[in-house]
Amino acid sequence: MASDLRASVRGLLTRARYLPVPAKRWLSRGRRLAAGIRPRDFADMFDYAQAAVEGALAAGAAYADARAMVVRQQGLSCLNENIEGLDYDESAGIGVRALIGSSWGFYATPDLTEKSARAAGAQAAAIALASGLAAGEPLRLLEVPVVTDHYETPFEEAPFDVALSEKADLLVAVNRNMRQV
């Protein structure tokens, strides 16, 4: 069974995607991820982030922004040259922050539906409002150009394209060498 599990180097191999969505630019699309289907591009995630920002602004925020993230992780553990565990995880979600007066509110949700994203935005605004009970003078943000961007962790070889058996062989070999020291 250990040879079937031969997977990756010790620790996590992570690929994260990050998409900030400013409050003034929008698109609209369906909801593939809510049905358990990974997005093929970030247009779907952009819609959820857009809904979160709109929810915060509708709840009274003077400023709001959101981040859509998809994170994949793969981990493998090895002890005494034996593969003991293989973990794989993929998660996605929307994080939103809202400003009311001088107080910030933050909220996130893994539920990728337009309704849930709007509710997350409203919740971030509610947290900002509640934080305002001990706040100072209202903040005035500078006017800056809207920026929409995308980030992927750089790599020379896509870690998820490497065969599990190749990763496990490397990990066992490293473990063997460490044991000889």
Side-chain angles (χ1 to χ4, degrees), residues 74-126:
Q74 189 179 69
L76 187 71
S77 59
C78 179
L79 180 65
N80 298 328
E81 300 178 36
N82 292 309
I83 301 298
E84 290 196 329
L86 169 63
D87 296 312
Y88 179 84
D89 184 53
E90 182 165 338
S91 59
I94 302 293
V96 60
R97 64 182 176 174
L99 175 65
I100 296 180
S102 64
S103 300
W104 291 96
F106 303 90
Y107 198 78
T109 180
D111 183 10
L112 296 177
T113 63
E114 197 168 310
K115 180 180 177 182
S116 179
R118 283 186 195 284
Q123 187 63 32

Side-chain angles (χ1 to χ4, degrees), residues 100-103 131-139:
I100 296 180
S102 64
S103 300
S131 299
L133 297 175
E137 293 295 315
L139 295 177

Side-chain angles (χ1 to χ4, degrees), residues 30-47:
R31 45 181 224 175
R32 284 186 207 139
L33 212 66
I37 302 168
R38 283 195 353 221
R40 302 215 189 294
D41 57 40
F42 281 96
D44 293 335
M45 296 298 281
F46 190 86
D47 292 340

